[in-house]
Amino acid sequence: MQFRDLKTQYGVLKEKMDAAILEVLENTNFISGTQVSTLEKRLAEYVGVKHCITCANGTDALTLALMAWKVGVGDAVFVPDFTFFASGEVVSFEGATPVFVDVEKDTFNISPEKLEEAIQKVLKEGKQTPKVIVAVDLFGQPADYIELRKIADKYDLLILEDGAQGFGGRIADQKVCSFGDISTTSFFPAKPLGCYGDGGAVFTDSDEMAEKIRSLAVHGKGSFKYDNVRIGMNSRLDTIQAAVLLTKLPVFIEQELDRVNEVAERYTELLKGTVVTPVVKNGFYSSWAQYSILLENKETRDGLQAYLKEKGIPSMVYYPKPMHQQAAFADICSDDDFENTMELCERVLALPMHPYMKDEDIKIVIEHIKSYIQKNE
Ligand SMILES: *Cc1c(COP(=O)(O)O)cnc(C)c1O
């Protein structure tokens, strides 16, 4: 069994995919081919924002946003304690200070309540200026942008939506990557919409920011390629990756999102009463980058993972370590409590989840989880 079955997906798309990649090879337009601008148009349309700027990966996408806002030394950027390292790494990389915030225990996303406490604490200490909230759509579910926007407005902060795991999700009819003042995503192969290597994108409604980000992504270019008006980076999406994404996008929108939601529903229905299943807020729609259950404690979690492995079922621990405990952030002292994150790191386990998962495989996973839990009760 595969944790995320990219091979089956390729098999389904093979004919169109091979043709799309071959076209790039034949045209040799490896950088900035027309596929890149076509993809940007389609992605912006799908998400419902004015501008999409593709780039080399999801980490660069976050960096480009922070650079465009000139976030740097002396600025505080609020980041969930329970997320992939890059969400906080980019903040330190720009010289700003990440301030970690505990998450909600049921949705795994940044807690608006804890966020406001963290902002007030930074204001009271007076050492840094609160600037940005990095909101992560963890495991595919949008963060609570209704509450986050109220807080951002109250304290005059910008929202950077890290939609690396959330692409395809929505709140009511509003799609992920449209909630931030700037939003980003990643096309890393295992993300909800993945390419065949690294890739990323930035989304915004602001003409000014879009122009800046386009420039920053190509050596701070000005009116033409050899006119450089600012210090930037080299972060472009390859034409081959754009061709891959153009081939995947319609299938992602029309079939894959529905199927991962079916798989999630089935898991939740059949696991009820056995383990804690993930909660999706009312009116929220997840793109199910991960389907993560909670076990009673670390011992049971680790035991179940080993047991599943024996039975040929892959599972993953996202994430075993809170951000505030990463050695890389050791110099950012914090005496805050991160009760929920600490608990989640010990109890969480992600199960196989992808759009090509067969009903029989869902049943097998569930049977083994049930038999392990029953044996260990
Ligand atoms: C994957 C991921 C990123 C980084 O994306 P890359 O394309 O791997 O650079 C950033 N944030 C989150 C939450 C992610 O899951």
Side-chain angles (χ1 to χ4, degrees):
M1 199 182 300
Q2 299 277 316
F3 186 72
R4 193 165 183 92
D5 191 347
L6 298 175
K7 225 176 214 174
T8 300
Q9 185 194 46
Y10 172 59
V12 169
L13 299 170
K14 185 171 175 14
E15 216 173 296
K16 281 186 182 159
M17 189 61 83
D18 291 356
I21 293 173
L22 205 63
E23 193 189 336
V24 181
L25 300 189
E26 276 163 0
N27 291 336
T28 61
N29 55 346
F30 301 115
I31 303 288
S32 308
T34 53
Q35 288 90 333
V36 177
S37 47
T38 305
L39 176 70
E40 289 178 341
K41 241 180 256 153
R42 299 246 167 102
L43 290 174
E45 256 169 43
Y46 172 68
V47 167
V49 297
K50 213 164 159 193
H51 304 280
C52 167
I53 305 106
T54 53
C55 62
N57 57 67
T59 307
D60 280 5
L62 291 165
T63 295
L64 286 165
L66 295 176
M67 283 172 87
W69 283 332
K70 293 193 166 29
V71 171
V73 177
D75 294 331
V77 176
F78 301 88
V79 179
D81 195 36
F82 193 56
T83 180
F84 179 61
F85 185 65
S87 311
E89 178 186 30
V90 294
V91 175
S92 293
F93 198 76
E94 292 309 304
T97 305
V99 177
F100 298 116
V101 178
D102 205 4
V103 295
E104 298 175 324
K105 199 161 143 184
D106 54 350
T107 66
F108 313 132
N109 277 328
I110 192 165
S111 155
E113 218 169 89
K114 291 286 173 67
L115 170 64
E116 189 156 13
E117 284 173 28
I119 296 167
Q120 285 176 354
K121 197 174 161 202
V122 170
L123 286 171
K124 204 169 149 204
E125 283 175 358
K127 286 186 215 143
Q128 275 125 14
T129 314
K131 256 292 181 39
V132 177
I133 302 162
V134 175
V136 179
D137 305 321
L138 203 75
F139 304 155
Q141 176 168 205
D144 193 339
Y145 292 100
I146 299 130
E147 292 305 314
L148 294 179
R149 186 50 76 182
K150 285 184 207 160
I151 296 171
D153 287 348
K154 184 169 168 188
Y155 295 95
D156 198 18
L157 305 178
L158 294 158
I159 294 181
L160 172 52
E161 176 183 10
D162 179 353
Q165 300 181 13
F167 197 79
R170 53 185 157 80
I171 304 175
D173 287 331
Q174 193 180 343
K175 298 230 171 61
V176 154
C177 287
S178 72
F179 294 105
D181 296 288
I182 299 179
S183 304
T184 64
T185 198
S186 161
F187 303 122
F188 182 85
K191 307 278 173 170
L193 177 65
C195 59
Y196 289 170
D198 278 311
V202 186
F203 297 84
T204 184
D205 275 323
S206 158
D207 297 341
E208 187 198 341
M209 285 305 135
E211 198 194 323
K212 231 182 203 180
I213 289 163
R214 252 185 217 294
S215 161
L216 285 166
V218 186
H219 305 290
K221 74 169 177 192
S223 57
F224 66 103
K225 198 174 167 185
Y226 300 105
D227 172 35
N228 305 87
V229 295
R230 52 173 71 83
I231 299 300
M233 50 207 276
N234 174 19
S235 186
R236 288 175 293 228
L237 184 75
D238 292 345
T239 308
I240 287 182
Q241 301 305 343
V244 168
L245 289 165
L246 278 172
T247 309
K248 281 197 183 188
L249 187 61
V251 186
F252 174 76
I253 296 169
E254 284 153 32
Q255 293 162 30
E256 293 187 349
L257 279 170
D258 287 341
R259 181 57 188 160
V260 286
N261 273 277
E262 262 173 34
V263 175
E265 258 172 53
R266 187 137 302 186
Y267 265 142
T268 299
E269 193 184 303
L270 297 173
L271 285 170
K272 206 161 256 169
T274 306
V275 296
V276 179
T277 52
V279 174
V280 178
K281 282 189 182 176
N282 219 345
F284 285 49
Y285 181 88
S286 175
S287 58
W288 295 106
Q290 307 299 339
Y291 184 92
S292 302
I293 58 171
L294 295 184
L295 286 308
E296 204 158 318
N297 51 42
K298 186 171 190 306
E299 196 189 342
T300 312
R301 191 270 310 276
D302 292 347
L304 174 62
Q305 184 171 37
Y307 179 81
L308 291 176
K309 192 177 172 193
E310 244 171 60
K311 306 287 176 191
I313 299 167
S315 64
M316 302 291 270
V317 176
Y318 297 125
Y319 296 93
K321 215 180 206 189
M323 295 287 270
H324 79 273
Q325 284 186 353
Q326 293 289 357
F329 295 124
D331 58 336
I332 306 163
C333 305
S334 173
D335 52 2
D336 288 338
D337 71 282
F338 299 98
E339 197 188 339
N340 291 339
T341 301
M342 298 290 281
E343 196 181 320
L344 291 172
C345 289
E346 301 206 323
R347 293 180 58 195
V348 81
L349 190 68
L351 304 179
M353 163 57 88
H354 57 84
Y356 300 92
M357 193 154 177
K358 296 195 209 88
D359 288 346
E360 301 97 85
D361 284 344
I362 302 173
K363 272 198 198 131
I364 292 169
V365 175
I366 286 165
E367 273 161 24
H368 286 308
I369 294 174
K370 283 191 169 163
S371 75
Y372 180 82
I373 298 291
Q374 275 154 16
K375 262 196 284 182
N376 286 274
E377 250 166 6

